[in-house]
Amino acid sequence: MTAINEVTDYALEDGVGVITLNSPPVNALSFNVRDGLAGGMAMALADEGAKAVVIVCEGRTFIAGADITEFGGAQRGASLYDVQDAIEGSAKPVVAAIHGTALGGGLEVALACHYRVAVPSARCGLPEVNLGLLPGAGGTQRLPRIVGPEKAMEMMTSGQHVPAKSCLEMGLVDELVEEGDLRAGAIAFANKIVVEQRPLKKVRELNDKVEAARGHPEIFENFRKANARRFRGFLAPEYNIRCVEAAVNEPFEEGLKTERKLFGELMSGSQSAAQRYAFFAERQAAKVPDVPDDTAVIPVNKVGIIGAGTMGGGIAMNFMNAGIPVTIVEVQQDALDRGLATIRRNYERSRTAVPAETEARMSRLTGALDLSALADCDLVIEAVFERIDIKKEVFTKLDAICKPGAILATNTSGLNIDEIASVTKRPDAVIGLHFFSPANVMKLLEIVRADHTSKEVINTCMKLARRIGKIAVLVGVCPGFVGNRILGARQREANKLIMEGAMPWDIDRVLYDFGFPMGPFAMSDLAGLDIGWVKERSNGETIRDVLCEMDRRGQKTGAGWYDYDENRNAKPSPVTEKILHDFIVKSGANPRAISDDEILERCLYPMVNEGAKILEEGKAIRPSDIDVVWENGYGWPVYEGGPMWWGDKVGLTKVLDKMKEFQGAMGDAFKPSPLLEKLVGEGKKFQDLR
Ligand code: T1G
């Protein structure tokens, strides 16, 4: 075994030159790894004993892509293109031995090899689109030559990690080797290639599939049309498609030039900067400065849930999906039966439903009508009606019933968890686990740290979130926590703007064009305007009262803020327009024309300001946590980085000046946070607070 450098070894094994990379955590293509590959190839080619070459990685995965932390930095070490040319141009067959995830530049290295083998648990993908990029090392030209243009576009615009078995079927992998025996399997495969004198298969020369697509531009038009909704607002998917078009219509080297040009454009753009920021922000969010990673973790092998309604049922599915048995408690049999039936229906209706799997998951679920059934649970999550008195009553009972050491969690979306904890003798075991509806789908989990919550309970819940496939963000106790508190700032302005002359559909259009999936008024029509509305107490004091009294309760009644046709397509409503006008005049004001810019600034700047207040109060650990909350729970477009990142992008001076202008005109609701003032005063950004 010869050390090429600190992350690469070379060894001759059974007539094969084996290059082993070992650069934790994910063997990313740092300059060291690139140098190691270049050095290893040179050694293997010079080694007369080596009839073939195998590239294999130690650790949990094959190369998981270019080293994203190096982006934007000075180029060091061997270039990836040179490494690939050395591999593809090798006179000896080169085999990539894949385990874990061969992603991005990692798969592109494997595609420069003549053959690829993998263990069955491996997955391959080109997820650069998730970073606002495209595969910039030949992947856009080589992948279509193996899997065809359609499949290549699907893989490159979804970023999906394709299981090894499917890779084999698509020809992306040449052979599956025994799980746990990758190295030996790859060496044996390499020797087989030599013995059978198989050709040095250069992917760049495999033109059948791309030539077959030449003269069929409909392939691309149809793909664009079919995915227009999914790609809305993003630049990268279209750029990926253009590269595949180049692979079909241009010779390989020309296609490479197109790829490099389009890659450069994306790399220098703000969308990719925002999406790369989001990548690291998600991983940062998992780290709690005063709760070391090795803090004790409480085993969670049995979970109890109180309330089998929409939230309770969705929450239960997360644990059942992760193999954790769940007991769900309801007060009445029919409510329990309804809850269990909904969970089963959700499984049966899911796109990936497999009856055996549905049964396996349902077998982990037990229904009960008595809280005592939760006595031996490791974690209990309360998802009952959002009233503090009811929650305190439940926690008083849980405190008496649950075993010592059990974690008592509430799914409240904004009530005071310290007050809830105060009714128990174990406030250190009380924490907020705020799931988002539908809880079995939404990735975000706001974990709410109360005054006495122990570090063990926090660390346990942060780790558990990962186990159930959630992105956890730790926040402090304050009304609405982080997500809903900032939503309140936006909603308050949206409601004020319609009282000044803006139409609901104007506000929705501006926020939709900004990149939100839906504006607040369309959202409330979808949810129903009558949530929390009491007919008996309604007296036309608010516009919502008037709309509900007119039975305009949203999509379900065919009218709300908007009018809806039989297919529930929304259109601006002259009825709502008149109601608004009359309301404004009755209040003694005159409706005025409001520009799109003012709408955007009035809705988004207070969100940035509220985020600054949250940071001041220590209710969020870092600005990027707030962005992770909004991107994964509230539809903030990831290519705009989240409210805090976006505030920096717009310029905090501009945000502050506008807030002050609005404050002057409309009062202290726009009072800038001291942190915002301080950062502007020091010429700093939120990102400097990391
Ligand atoms: N570069 C640098 N660091 C990386 C990294 C990468 N590509 N991938 C992961 N890390 C770090 C991550 O920040 C974390 O660090 C640790 O590794 C574990 O990650 C030319 C331009 C591989 C599926 O997009 O999807 O190639 O927080 O917590 O859940 O065409 O990481 O511990 O300090 O996510 O087990 C394309 C990105 C790059 C794959 C593992 N590749 N990575 O998931 O662990 S662009 C990607 C992932 C490219 C070329 C282009 C996942 C994973 P820390 P983790 P995990």
Side-chain angles (χ1 to χ4, degrees):
M1 181 85 75
T2 312
I4 304 285
N5 65 13
E6 66 214 62
V7 296
T8 317
D9 292 329
Y10 175 80
L12 181 63
E13 292 177 30
D14 197 11
V16 173
V18 182
I19 302 170
T20 307
L21 301 171
N22 189 6
S23 178
V26 294
N27 289 305
L29 282 160
S30 62
F31 71 91
N32 254 339
V33 168
R34 296 193 306 269
D35 285 347
L37 281 168
M41 281 305 301
M43 193 165 276
L45 295 175
D47 185 344
E48 286 171 12
K51 301 289 177 277
V53 184
V54 163
I55 297 175
V56 67
C57 293
E58 290 291 340
R60 62 175 158 177
T61 181
F62 188 75
I63 304 167
D67 187 333
I68 310 169
T69 62
E70 287 188 355
F71 289 179
Q75 170 70 28
R76 291 174 67 185
S79 90
L80 186 49
Y81 307 127
D82 295 345
V83 169
Q84 290 175 299
D85 290 346
I87 293 171
E88 195 169 52
S90 158
K92 302 177 182 182
V94 183
V95 177
I98 300 170
H99 77 293
T101 49
L103 301 175
L107 182 56
E108 291 173 297
V109 166
L111 286 169
C113 297
H114 305 115
Y115 294 93
R116 288 151 291 282
V117 300
V119 289
S121 62
R123 290 166 293 141
C124 300
L126 293 176
E128 284 85 345
V129 73
N130 298 333
L131 300 169
L133 294 170
L134 53 85
T140 71
Q141 303 306 303
R142 289 191 172 92
L143 185 68
R145 283 174 161 76
I146 290 193
V147 304
E150 286 99 333
K151 189 65 201 167
M153 284 193 286
E154 185 48 48
M155 283 181 66
M156 289 158 60
T157 58
S158 66
Q160 72 193 105
H161 300 180
V162 181
K165 189 164 167 295
S166 309
C167 294
L168 182 70
E169 286 152 11
M170 290 191 287
L172 194 48
V173 159
D174 299 284
E175 187 168 295
L176 296 187
V177 297
E178 190 131 345
E179 196 69 50
D181 201 21
L182 177 64
R183 194 182 184 91
I187 292 169
F189 178 85
N191 274 320
K192 190 166 64 182
I193 299 288
V194 173
V195 171
E196 295 170 5
Q197 298 183 325
R198 287 209 212 161
L200 296 180
K201 211 173 49 169
K202 294 183 180 177
V203 179
R204 64 165 58 225
E205 295 164 359
L206 306 176
N207 292 319
D208 302 359
K209 291 192 173 146
V210 288
E211 283 166 0
R214 207 160 290 162
H216 294 282
E218 73 281 2
I219 292 174
F220 302 98
E221 287 331 303
N222 295 345
F223 187 82
R224 285 183 173 100
K225 263 204 218 95
N227 294 286
R229 209 178 134 92
R230 181 157 67 103
F231 298 158
R232 186 178 75 90
F234 290 90
L235 281 177
E238 172 56 26
Y239 276 48
N240 275 269
I241 295 169
R242 287 189 203 157
C243 287
V244 179
E245 276 178 316
V248 166
N249 300 322
E250 298 170 22
F252 185 83
E253 285 301 335
E254 289 309 307
L256 271 188
K257 288 191 190 126
T258 301
E259 176 191 281
R260 279 179 201 165
K261 177 175 168 295
L262 295 178
F263 180 85
E265 286 177 26
L266 290 175
M267 179 64 104
S268 58
S270 82
Q271 288 207 353
S272 179
Q275 290 176 259
R276 281 179 270 140
Y277 162 82
F279 176 85
F280 288 113
E282 254 176 55
R283 282 146 187 86
Q284 260 317 85
K287 300 175 177 135
V288 181
D290 70 330
V291 179
D293 200 45
D294 60 3
T295 302
V297 169
I298 300 161
V300 175
N301 300 316
K302 187 172 181 206
V303 170
I305 294 174
I306 307 168
T310 312
M311 285 310 290
I315 296 169
M317 292 174 75
N318 291 303
F319 295 97
M320 294 153 66
N321 297 348
I324 303 172
V326 174
T327 299
I328 197 161
V329 175
E330 255 298 348
V331 278
Q332 277 156 0
Q333 189 63 50
D334 58 348
L336 182 60
D337 296 343
R338 242 192 338 271
L340 301 182
T342 304
I343 294 173
R344 174 175 286 282
R345 216 175 23 254
N346 285 344
Y347 278 126
E348 286 162 352
R349 281 197 190 146
S350 77
R351 257 173 324 102
T352 54
V354 179
E357 188 50 38
T358 297
E359 290 318 316
R361 292 175 186 192
M362 287 304 290
S363 70
R364 297 180 195 122
L365 181 63
T366 308
L369 293 173
D370 194 308
L371 285 179
S372 63
L374 307 178
D376 64 344
C377 288
D378 305 305
L379 164 67
V380 175
I381 305 174
E382 159 279 311
V384 301
F385 199 67
E386 192 72 347
R387 262 188 31 210
I388 193 87
D389 55 334
I390 297 177
K391 294 192 186 282
K392 287 166 82 171
E393 193 191 319
V394 169
F395 272 72
T396 305
K397 292 184 182 150
L398 286 177
D399 193 25
I401 289 167
C402 294
K403 68 179 181 183
I407 299 172
L408 307 182
T410 169
N411 179 53
T412 177
S413 55
L415 295 176
N416 186 332
I417 300 177
D418 290 316
E419 194 180 336
I420 293 172
S422 69
V423 300
T424 74
K425 296 183 200 58
R426 52 174 118 183
D428 58 313
V430 176
I431 193 166
L433 293 181
H434 179 208
F435 289 81
F436 289 76
S437 183
N440 56 312
V441 177
M442 294 294 284
K443 293 284 277 178
L444 180 66
L445 179 61
E446 258 186 339
I447 297 186
V448 190
R449 173 182 200 160
D451 286 350
H452 302 291
T453 308
S454 75
K455 294 184 178 180
E456 292 74 19
V457 168
I458 291 169
N459 200 32
T460 300
C461 292
M462 295 297 283
K463 299 261 180 319
L464 188 61
R466 203 180 158 88
R467 200 168 146 202
I468 62 172
K470 299 299 182 192
I471 298 169
V473 177
L474 189 70
V475 301
V477 174
C478 58
F481 311 137
V482 167
N484 285 341
R485 178 172 165 178
I486 292 177
L487 180 65
R490 187 187 82 180
Q491 198 51 41
R492 184 192 64 230
E493 282 314 305
N495 291 337
K496 281 165 60 187
L497 281 161
I498 57 170
M499 284 302 291
E500 296 168 32
M503 286 298 122
W505 33 90
D506 295 331
I507 297 170
D508 283 355
R509 174 179 45 74
V510 168
L511 294 175
Y512 181 79
D513 291 349
F514 178 79
F516 284 103
M518 191 182 270
F521 297 97
M523 182 72 83
S524 87
D525 269 2
L526 181 65
L529 272 70
D530 53 354
I531 293 178
W533 180 72
V534 182
K535 189 171 182 172
E536 295 66 36
R537 285 207 299 265
S538 185
N539 53 14
E541 262 184 23
T542 68
I543 294 173
R544 185 181 75 140
D545 279 352
V546 175
L547 290 169
C548 287
E549 287 162 15
M550 295 170 69
D551 202 30
R552 297 179 63 88
R553 302 182 193 193
Q555 285 194 16
K556 61 187 174 192
T557 58
W561 295 104
Y562 294 83
D563 293 334
Y564 293 88
D565 65 19
E566 61 284 356
N567 301 320
R568 292 204 175 200
N569 296 318
K571 64 181 191 312
S573 166
V575 177
T576 302
E577 188 159 354
K578 173 128 183 19
I579 293 170
L580 282 169
H581 182 271
D582 296 351
F583 233 85
I584 296 170
V585 172
K586 204 171 75 186
S587 69
N590 284 319
R592 64 182 175 89
I594 298 178
S595 71
D596 289 359
D597 286 350
E598 180 180 348
I599 290 175
L600 192 72
E601 290 167 347
R602 290 264 306 270
C603 287
L604 302 193
Y605 288 179
M607 296 173 71
V608 177
N609 193 50
E610 198 65 32
K613 289 186 203 168
I614 287 171
L615 290 167
E616 268 158 26
E617 296 164 21
K619 302 303 179 186
I621 295 170
R622 52 186 81 85
S624 59
D625 285 4
I626 296 174
D627 292 335
V628 172
V629 165
W630 263 78
E631 284 174 339
N632 294 285
Y634 296 83
W636 186 285
V638 67
Y639 53 80
E640 290 288 2
M644 310 319 281
W645 191 90
W646 181 76
D648 283 347
K649 176 187 163 190
V650 168
L652 297 186
T653 307
K654 183 173 177 195
V655 174
L656 179 63
D657 292 348
K658 267 288 170 188
M659 288 295 286
K660 285 184 172 168
E661 183 190 316
F662 291 150
Q663 183 187 19
M666 289 170 262
D668 281 349
F670 290 96
K671 184 173 173 12
S673 84
L675 176 61
L676 184 57
E677 302 254 21
K678 181 170 176 290
L679 289 172
V680 170
E682 297 168 1
K684 288 190 176 156
K685 296 179 165 189
F686 287 119
Q687 282 166 61
D688 299 323
L689 295 176
R690 275 192 280 193

